[in-house]
Amino acid sequence: MQVSIDLGLTYSIGPSRTVLLAIEAARCGGQSVLHDNIAIEEAVVHRIEGESGLGTRIWARLAIDELRLRYRAEVDVTRPAPHLERHAAAPLPELPAEAFGYLRPSRFCQSDQFGSFANKRFGGLSGGAKVAAIRDWVATEIAYVPASSDAGTTALDTFARREGVCRDFAHMVCALARAAGIPARYASAYAPGVEPPDFHAVAEVWLDDGWHLVDPTGMSTEADAVLIGVGRDACDAPFMETVDDAQPIAQSVTVRYSG
Amino acid sequence: MQVSIDLGLTYSIGPSRTVLLAIEAARCGGQSVLHDNIAIEEAVVHRIEGESGLGTRIWARLAIDELRLRYRAEVDVTRPAPHLERHAAAPLPELPAEAFGYLRPSRFCQSDQFGSFANKRFGGLSGGAKVAAIRDWVATEIAYVPASSDAGTTALDTFARREGVCRDFAHMVCALARAAGIPARYASAYAPGVEPPDFHAVAEVWLDDGWHLVDPTGMSTEADAVLIGVGRDACDAPFMETVDDAQPIAQSVTVRYSG
Amino acid sequence: MQVSIDLGLTYSIGPSRTVLLAIEAARCGGQSVLHDNIAIEEAVVHRIEGESGLGTRIWARLAIDELRLRYRAEVDVTRPAPHLERHAAAPLPELPAEAFGYLRPSRFCQSDQFGSFANKRFGGLSGGAKVAAIRDWVATEIAYVPASSDAGTTALDTFARREGVCRDFAHMVCALARAAGIPARYASAYAPGVEPPDFHAVAEVWLDDGWHLVDPTGMSTEADAVLIGVGRDACDAPFMETVDDAQPIAQSVTVRYSG
Amino acid sequence: MQVSIDLGLTYSIGPSRTVLLAIEAARCGGQSVLHDNIAIEEAVVHRIEGESGLGTRIWARLAIDELRLRYRAEVDVTRPAPHLERHAAAPLPELPAEAFGYLRPSRFCQSDQFGSFANKRFGGLSGGAKVAAIRDWVATEIAYVPASSDAGTTALDTFARREGVCRDFAHMVCALARAAGIPARYASAYAPGVEPPDFHAVAEVWLDDGWHLVDPTGMSTEADAVLIGVGRDACDAPFMETVDDAQPIAQSVTVRYSG
């Protein structure tokens, strides 16, 4: 599926005039960036690798007090259809180092608290079937309610409150999958179906010998989600960071099918 | 049902030589203390009222570094059978002040976090039927696992971990009932069926015009639970408190049917 | 000090058309309501007692989908000047039942977590001098930052974040005072010095044989704070509650010296 | 400094008969393993890399229900003396990817909560001087109290409770350093001065262009701490893990100066 991205950001930035951005479509398996272009007014930039070596982050030093950015990209998403159920879990002792750390609890995904629940609810399943059951449980039990959570909301909170946004849905999948012994990571993304249009967040789980995308919100699929970066949870993958306060002036995210 | 209680406590107590005890069967509706006797070696004692005016607490000033206590009681439990389903919820505006505070979240029962879950799971029910559904949910979903929790465990923890002891079961009922708009309080108790023998904890909910006992562990019933004291949660109803550390030397709780 | 209060509230209210209000100046020691008047359009009201028997709450059943309320009052605040240092702590075994429950941890004041800190920082002091040191510590260490907290923020959060609003300052005093063995409660209030004008929150501590007001924000004093209601923390003393969502349309709180 | 390690572990292991161990002294900068030997009875083992590529972990599949392990090593610690104050902070935009992730909050180190405190207390300092001030603050304000914390204790808890063990001291340094903009990671270690003898935990901070060891407990120094593995916090660096329960039968950790 070919996807077109058009992002505009205008933020007032504090005296450091320095921001770290994670907004470019990653060059990684499952998606091919046909072309993209980023323009940041009055900025000197350099790139560093994203978490786990996936994607890039941009340090921008601004000559002015505003970040004025436009990013456009055409991405061909070639990720094969999910068929989660066809994939087996990798036996723990055979997990590569790349996947191992994603078994751990993290700031917003306290998987250490969900072992008993995961065992009770999903213990009879394994591998992709277990992941599918976790995804379906999250989709059924958590209500998608815009603005129902904030930057401090954790999977433990969401589990009790039963509502959240895409960030919380992804955290919930990560927490439950890890508690069930399956490596899971958080991914920031673009996707055409997000309503209202915004950045998106999904999860990836390690089955057989690779990462498989899971979107419990149903807003995107393997065939149309464009990954930006990954990490243990949302704390690893903010689209913008600065040591100062950044105040939004304008933001638009347009993602649609093209090609 | 007539119940016989025999409690022995020996604790080493720090330099304050002062403890506050909540161990006597309450003189309250639903149970009649036929006779009881407390003996504390080398102590000067005085009583204060329990929380919400139910039961008593004993301040004991000791002449020695140990608390050596024996308490025996015969109690006739006259509480009518539950039939929760026959009782309606009291409309909120008609709740007496006595019940109103028990709608609030508390240290260990964060009912403010469970509104959405309670509404989704139990929203189609009301009154006693709703309480019965909450009790059954807790009984089914939470596993009774001795020593699986500690003095800091909250209902939010238990909800995720899906295991606990009587204290946690009672907290879970209180948190969910309050979230569902039904006043609920924590009660410390004696009961014959507790295994291993120990102090017990149950919940009480306000329906129609009174408190009704709910024991989601199934260890006790309205007909054999002997209440000691009540409160918002376990923080209100410890059986012993002291400003020093108290180290257990011996403790035995024997509760059996008699009469 | 004579204080004049003029409150206007307009809120859209959900289908229950029922709200519980805690906005009237309490008839209680330390303040004398010279006259007051509440007008709620198209409502049938009845009053219930406030928490701990202090102040009143109003149940209002509305005939329309909006709460349109105006409350005006003249209150003579006669509370004696603080002189916290002159007051001794009441020995725990002599605390009246009225004060005892306010030693307990609560939803937003996890005093059970602060015992070691309170002992280390304030352990050399006692009674009113200890309370004054706690008040001064909070005033010095916590920054007053409008909108820096929300309805879920606890004393444990505030202790780490070192910023908050009046609610958080009062929680912090309650948590530390209780941890230090001094009963402390949360009070909602009106006060002339609050900027921007809004409802206010303070703490009260039990010393000698009564409650003493403590405002670590410095915005009010014993001489000009008008109490509305009290409780274990903010969860006991909201100015308005409803089972539906209530959306603010207009709100103005004017409190000034008069007489 | 030459350090001799002798570790004995005997644990009963559940039906999986599989454990993951992180107990070998790492081959890494600052320490040279002169010789070491591990013997695990009736086990088939293979190694995987430790977190961040530092140290190794051993998967052991046992033919019996017990883990019976002995590990002995001689390590020459060549890490230069600290002189934290001589090191400057690396400017954020120049941080290598290796260090960048260690700026993030983690399960047990909620650095996102401590920004205001870190700024207020340590904001006037920078680089190594700031780290030294954080180390000294932790050493002064947190009391080392054996058994005062458990596997679920977080830096937020420790910050309030003001007591903990080496794990909590290291978490506290990580949380505050990250909040202050300095990458910090948790390291499991052996050290001669640990009393009672046990595994140890320290922190490492990124200054100039490398990791520098910080032990706020004062039990070890750069010159005698032998690192095993590192990670975001204790969840990344347990000495033993298994999907079953593991029950200790015997454990001895002997670490002394040698050579």
Side-chain angles (χ1 to χ4, degrees), chain B residues 82-88 126-133 135-136 207-208:
Chain B
H83 300 308
L84 280 176
E85 289 80 352
R86 294 184 195 167
H87 295 283
S126 69
K130 184 185 273 192
V131 171
R135 177 199 60 203
D136 293 347
L207 294 171
D208 280 337

Side-chain angles (χ1 to χ4, degrees), chain D residues 26-242:
Chain D
R27 267 78 176 166
C28 65
Q31 60 191 40
S32 170
V33 180
L34 303 181
H35 54 83
D36 66 348
N37 180 265
I38 189 163
I40 308 178
E41 291 185 32
E42 313 229 20
V44 177
V45 308
H46 77 275
R47 283 181 174 74
I48 61 168
E49 229 179 28
E51 191 69 24
S52 289
L54 189 146
T56 55
R57 290 181 278 215
I58 296 173
W59 277 105
R61 295 173 184 263
L62 306 166
I64 54 178
D65 291 336
E66 274 185 28
L67 170 71
R68 296 174 193 155
L69 174 153
R70 184 152 186 207
Y71 172 67
R72 281 180 290 184
E74 286 288 322
V75 183
D76 191 19
V77 182
T78 57
R79 210 171 282 115
H83 301 307
L84 280 176
E85 288 80 351
R86 294 185 195 166
H87 294 284
L92 289 186
E94 293 168 23
L95 280 179
E98 177 197 352
F100 198 86
Y102 289 110
L103 281 171
R104 303 300 193 191
S106 61
R107 175 67 178 93
F108 297 120
C109 303
Q110 304 102 325
S111 48
D112 50 308
Q113 301 292 299
F114 293 105
S116 176
F117 176 77
N119 186 51
K120 179 168 186 176
R121 195 72 47 155
F122 310 115
L125 302 168
S126 70
K130 187 186 269 189
V131 172
I134 288 171
R135 177 200 60 202
D136 294 346
W137 186 91
V138 174
T140 304
E141 294 293 330
I142 312 295
Y144 192 96
V145 179
S148 60
S149 66
D150 62 31
T153 304
T154 72
L156 200 58
D157 296 327
T158 302
F159 186 70
R161 294 178 194 163
R162 302 290 160 128
E163 58 186 30
V165 299
C166 58
R167 168 190 183 279
D168 308 300
F169 278 62
H171 283 167
M172 206 68 248
V173 167
C174 288
L176 293 177
R178 292 176 197 168
I182 295 172
R185 65 189 189 184
Y186 179 95
S188 58
Y190 295 104
V194 176
E195 194 56 45
D198 203 342
F199 291 99
H200 192 43
V202 299
E204 286 195 306
V205 296
W206 184 273
L207 294 173
D208 280 336
D209 55 359
W211 291 108
H212 296 264
L213 193 143
V214 178
D215 183 353
T217 70
M219 288 177 174
S220 70
T221 70
E222 289 76 356
D224 62 9
V226 177
L227 298 195
I228 299 168
V230 298
R232 292 200 178 183
D233 58 34
C235 78
D236 276 339
F239 73 89
M240 180 171 63
E241 299 171 82
T242 174

Side-chain angles (χ1 to χ4, degrees), chain C residues 12-31:
Chain C
S12 72
I13 301 294
S16 75
R17 290 182 170 180
T18 304
V19 295
L20 179 61
L21 301 159
I23 55 165
E24 295 177 301
R27 267 77 176 166
C28 65
Q31 59 191 41

